[in-house]
């Protein structure tokens, strides 16, 4: 057993996400301690060799790292700082890792409370869903000190294939919120595309298959997120001809989609905004089609 695996890991919250994450820690060299309000959630882990705990405080007194996967800010506060919370028993040097998506301000406040006890706090939201957790393929965005990041690296690597040290406490949550902003705006755009296709008499289940197939090859929206700044792209920059080409294709196709929507009587507000914003967002400015339509 290496030095960074000689501590027990606690896991609080064994729901749809927490259970598959914790399952991958069952053979953690230092041992796994689990806590959940539901006895039926604890039993499979106890059968697998984990130590059940009745409260977060009971779990924390045995562990060097405690992961938390509960519903919201209120539950996180209760688990960390409540009467039977982790801070009641956590030893100095313990790292509390919250994987729930909470407010970044909540993370900063809890980190300050933890620091008073000599305990480290990291906000470590996750991306990828339960299937990724089951196969150890999650992305984890960590906000916290370099020392805390190093301590959680080994246990987190059991359920994640990508670990990003986003910055200080709160940065992990901020990165997750930016990632999910893209996710849910894309869902709204998908709904708009389905309305257009359905009104045109197309099979929208087949459209969905095409989208998933093509995105698996192109990478979807992430395929343009390759620069380290959102500043305008200078004409001599490597990216200028690439993003100008993307803009020109995008403006053409968005314009054609808007013309189709107008003929069919389908409002496409996201497409209209995208036509005006695409070139500027890419950093190369609007193309001739966007300028003509403005």
């Amino acid at each position: 057993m290496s030095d960074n695996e000689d501590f027990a890991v606690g896991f609080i919250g064994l729901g749809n996400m927490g259970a598959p994450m914790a399952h991958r820690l069952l053979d953690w060299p230092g041992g796994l301690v689990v806590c959940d309000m539901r006895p039926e959630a604890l039993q499979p882990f106890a059968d697998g060799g984990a130590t059940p705990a009745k409260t977060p405080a009971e779990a924390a007194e045995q562990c060097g790292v405690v992961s938390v996967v509960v519903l919201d800010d209120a539950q996180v506060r209760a688990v960390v700082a409540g009467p039977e919370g982790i801070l009641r028993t956590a030893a100095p040097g313990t790292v509390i890792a919250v994987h729930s998506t909470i407010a970044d301000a909540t993370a900063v406040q809890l980190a300050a409370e933890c620091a008073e006890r000599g305990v480290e706090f990291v906000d470590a939201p996750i991306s990828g869903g339960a299937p990724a957790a089951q196969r150890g393929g999650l992305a984890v965005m960590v906000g916290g000190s370099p020392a805390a990041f190093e301590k959680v690296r080994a246990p987190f690597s059991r359920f994640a294939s990508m670990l990003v040290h986003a910055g200080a406490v709160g940065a992990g949550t901020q990165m997750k919120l930016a990632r999910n902003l893209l996710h849910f705006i894309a869902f709204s755009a998908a709904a708009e595309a389905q309305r257009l296709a359905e009104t045109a008499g197309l099979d929208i289940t087949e459209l969905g298959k095409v989208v998933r197939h093509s995105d698996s090859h192109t990478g979807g929206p992430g395929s343009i997120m390759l620069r380290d700044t959102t500043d305008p792209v200078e004409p001599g920059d490597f990216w200028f001809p690439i993003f100008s080409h993307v803009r020109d294709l995008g403006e053409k196709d968005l314009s054609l989609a808007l013309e189709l929507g107008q003929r069919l009587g389908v409002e496409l507000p996201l497409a209209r905004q995208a036509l005006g914003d695409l070139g500027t967002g890419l950093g190369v400015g609007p193309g001739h089609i966007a300028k003509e339509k403005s």
Side-chain angles (χ1 to χ4, degrees), residues 68-148:
V68 178
V69 185
V70 293
L71 183 62
D72 54 24
D73 291 52
Q75 289 188 6
V76 167
R77 288 182 184 279
V79 164
V80 174
E84 291 297 326
I86 298 167
L87 282 180
R88 192 167 72 81
T89 59
T94 300
V95 178
I96 300 172
V98 172
H99 302 293
S100 313
T101 301
I102 57 176
D104 59 331
T106 298
V108 172
Q109 291 163 4
L110 286 173
E113 293 182 43
C114 289
E116 293 175 358
R117 311 284 186 91
V119 171
E120 293 263 22
F121 180 97
V122 299
D123 54 314
I126 50 183
S127 186
Q134 290 166 0
R135 61 177 182 268
L138 289 172
V140 184
M141 297 147 277
V142 181
S145 73

Side-chain angles (χ1 to χ4, degrees), residues 210-244:
V210 170
V211 170
R212 290 189 294 276
H213 176 83
S214 56
D215 279 2
S216 72
H217 291 285
T218 66
S223 64
I224 68 154
M225 301 174 73
L226 300 170
R227 300 175 67 220
D228 60 3
T229 177
T230 59
D231 291 342
V233 183
E234 297 297 328
D237 191 287
F238 168 83
W239 291 109
F240 191 86
I242 296 171
F243 285 158
S244 294

Side-chain angles (χ1 to χ4, degrees), residues 104-105 107-108 123 143-144 167-175:
D104 59 331
V108 172
D123 54 314
V169 172
T173 297
Q174 291 166 352
M175 186 174 285

Side-chain angles (χ1 to χ4, degrees), residues 1-215:
M1 187 187 304
S2 66
D3 290 344
N4 63 349
E5 295 181 346
D6 63 359
F7 53 84
V9 173
F11 215 100
I12 299 170
L14 302 171
N16 290 337
M17 283 302 301
M21 293 167 68
H23 188 268
R24 296 189 65 86
L25 288 160
L26 273 171
D27 61 350
W28 176 253
L32 175 66
V33 182
V34 291
C35 179
D36 194 282
M37 294 177 62
R38 300 161 300 147
E40 67 273 16
L42 289 171
Q43 193 59 52
F45 289 92
D47 293 344
T51 301
K54 294 180 180 179
T55 66
E58 183 182 328
E61 65 184 350
Q62 308 173 58
C63 299
V65 169
V66 185
S67 281
V68 178
V69 185
V70 293
L71 183 62
D72 54 24
D73 291 52
Q75 289 188 6
V76 167
R77 288 182 184 279
V79 164
V80 174
E84 291 297 326
I86 298 167
L87 282 180
R88 192 167 72 81
T89 59
T94 300
V95 178
I96 300 172
V98 172
H99 302 293
S100 313
T101 301
I102 57 176
D104 59 331
T106 298
V108 172
Q109 291 163 4
L110 286 173
E113 293 182 43
C114 289
E116 293 175 358
R117 311 284 186 91
V119 171
E120 293 263 22
F121 180 97
V122 299
D123 54 314
I126 50 183
S127 186
Q134 290 166 0
R135 61 177 182 268
L138 289 172
V140 184
M141 297 147 277
V142 181
S145 73
F149 180 70
E150 286 306 314
K151 188 165 184 177
V152 301
R153 184 192 294 275
F156 285 10
S157 293
R158 295 296 185 97
F159 50 73
S161 58
M162 173 178 281
L163 299 177
V164 176
H165 188 196
V169 172
T173 297
Q174 291 166 352
M175 186 174 285
K176 174 66 182 292
L177 294 177
R179 189 269 172 274
N180 277 11
L181 177 145
L182 171 62
H183 191 64
F184 291 113
I185 288 177
F187 280 9
S188 297
E192 186 165 291
Q194 287 177 307
R195 289 197 300 273
L196 177 65
E198 187 173 50
T199 305
L202 304 176
D203 184 335
I204 62 173
T205 62
E206 292 300 312
L207 171 63
K209 292 176 184 177
V210 170
V211 170
R212 290 189 294 276
H213 176 83
S214 56
D215 279 2

